[in-house]
Amino acid sequence: MAAVTLKDVAERAGVSVKTVSNVVRNAPRVSEATRKRVLEAVHELGYRPNPSARRLRTGHSGLIGLAVPDLATPYFAELAQHVRAEAAHLGLTVLIEETMGDATEELRLATGVGASLLDGVILSPLGVSPDELAAVANEFPLVLLGERSYERDQVGADHVLIDNVAAARDATAHLAGLGRTRIAAIGVDQQASATSRQRLEGFQLALHEAGVTYDPRLAPAIKEFDRRNGLLAMRALAALPARVRPDAVFCFSDLLAVGAQRALFEAGLTIPDDVAVASIDGSDEALYSTPSLTSVVPDKTAIASLAVKCLAARIRSAEPLPFEVHTAPHWLHARESTNGGRQQLFG
């Protein structure tokens, strides 16, 4: 059976082939009535776009990749939704890859190897080294997400990030502003990742500004930014003598904070009366946890928009473009874990 073509869809919908192409690419300037009619024809005929044919016509497939460490992490799952939405506005389709922080996999995706139809990749690197990225970054359109652990010109790729030092500083300053003086940090990882280093720097900076002494006993090392490690770290902190035990804790991710809250519940300690809790990520998990979690919220919409637009511009430009670093905004959303009381969601 012959494959359904754009012309077949156009004839069924009673529009031009160009209009069908615009609808399939989610291009603007198509009326809702026309878009609905074309999509109905697409569904009825079972039409599927052919990336190879598109590449032959335009030199581009319209496919981009998004590679993140772990889609089970709410932050990356939510970010992926924003990237897909932004890409759709530009007529692009996103293929999502999960790297699990494996350096070999990250390097493979950064060079487009094994994904010949991709026009470019948005990569959140975790395991690959700056030197490895620098060696391949100019070979394939690439935008990096997350923390920079290298000099501005070391890796030839656009970079979209938040100011992790400032974000951690804001969360810790909020805790200190509540009068808390024994403030712990959960997120000092054994791998000394850029995320951990930068958030620890912001934490220590806020303590210094508040006149609070940094106590290494209140910063236990962890292995991963997940609920279990937050639980185990907080159990250890809760078991400290009362004169040392923290009266506040800053967690380097929402998942760590959710685990920490569970440990406090097990220990019979109340939040925030005994221990106030704050974190970074601004995920839905923070919003729906009990108590709701005070969290620094990175502007994921802005991160996605900047990343997709940077990649699209690099793909479509006939000339080399200068590499840029974009810092997306963030804000602190104070909730029950520091403010106390009960707040009705969406009330």
Side-chain angles (χ1 to χ4, degrees):
M1 183 176 180
V4 178
T5 66
L6 286 176
K7 183 179 179 181
D8 296 330
V9 176
E11 290 176 351
R12 173 67 67 92
V15 298
S16 69
V17 172
K18 177 65 174 176
T19 298
V20 175
S21 177
N22 287 339
V23 172
V24 170
R25 293 185 296 107
N26 201 28
R29 298 185 297 278
V30 178
S31 72
E32 284 305 311
T34 300
R35 187 182 300 275
K36 181 180 179 181
R37 192 161 71 251
V38 170
L39 290 177
E40 286 175 351
V42 166
H43 177 71
E44 291 168 2
L45 296 175
Y47 171 75
R48 295 291 182 272
N50 187 333
S52 297
R54 176 173 175 174
R55 172 161 283 189
L56 287 173
R57 292 194 310 271
T58 68
H60 303 302
S61 67
L63 299 176
I64 62 172
L66 171 65
V68 297
D70 183 6
L71 283 168
T73 300
Y75 175 83
F76 288 118
E78 293 169 23
L79 181 63
Q81 292 178 333
H82 288 288
V83 168
R84 290 182 65 176
E86 182 61 35
H89 285 308
L90 299 181
L92 300 171
T93 299
V94 182
L95 300 181
I96 300 174
E97 295 276 357
E98 193 175 39
T99 66
M100 304 309 296
D102 180 76
T104 301
E105 181 68 2
E106 290 175 353
L107 193 62
R108 181 184 72 85
L109 291 166
T111 57
V113 174
S116 59
L117 286 179
L118 292 180
D119 291 332
V121 168
I122 299 170
L123 170 67
S124 179
L126 190 61
V128 66
S129 72
D131 288 340
E132 289 173 314
L133 276 179
V136 302
N138 287 316
E139 299 177 7
F140 187 63
L142 178 68
V143 174
L144 301 178
L145 300 178
E147 292 67 43
R148 293 176 65 84
S149 57
Y150 47 84
E151 298 301 321
R152 181 183 180 93
D153 297 325
Q154 184 179 352
V155 176
D158 295 315
H159 205 128
V160 180
L161 60 137
I162 68 164
D163 187 336
N164 264 293
V165 175
R169 180 184 181 185
D170 291 346
T172 309
H174 173 68
L175 294 171
L178 300 174
R180 308 301 170 115
T181 57
R182 300 187 305 280
I183 305 176
I186 296 179
V188 181
D189 66 35
Q190 297 172 351
Q191 295 78 26
S193 67
T195 302
S196 180
R197 293 197 310 272
Q198 292 172 14
R199 294 182 181 179
L200 178 61
E201 180 183 348
F203 171 76
Q204 292 175 320
L205 179 60
L207 291 185
H208 176 74
E209 292 172 343
V212 176
T213 301
Y214 173 68
D215 186 346
R217 292 175 297 178
L218 300 184
I222 64 165
K223 295 180 179 179
E224 303 287 345
F225 278 29
D226 60 16
R227 301 175 188 86
R228 175 177 172 78
N229 275 271
L231 173 77
L232 296 176
M234 193 68 242
R235 279 179 178 170
L237 291 168
L240 291 171
R243 61 183 175 79
V244 180
R245 189 175 64 212
D247 56 9
V249 57
F250 165 53
C251 299
F252 291 12
S253 77
D254 286 350
L255 290 185
L256 287 170
V258 169
Q261 288 187 156
R262 175 67 196 183
L264 290 170
F265 172 77
E266 292 176 352
L269 298 170
T270 60
I271 305 170
D273 294 341
D274 294 322
V275 183
V277 182
S279 67
I280 295 181
D281 274 348
S283 66
D284 280 350
E285 184 138 0
L287 180 63
Y288 288 97
S289 69
T290 304
S292 59
L293 180 61
T294 290
S295 183
V296 174
V297 183
D299 191 336
K300 290 184 277 291
T301 300
I303 293 171
S305 178
L306 288 166
V308 173
K309 287 177 180 176
C310 283
L311 188 63
R314 195 160 296 283
I315 291 168
R316 294 168 180 172
S317 177
E319 301 294 331
L321 298 174
F323 298 111
E324 297 181 351
V325 177
H326 299 276
T327 303
H330 68 267
W331 58 88
L332 178 76
H333 197 143
R335 298 192 179 101
E336 295 162 344
S337 68
T338 60
N339 286 350
R342 296 185 180 183
Q343 302 171 8
Q344 183 176 355
L345 294 184
F346 316 117

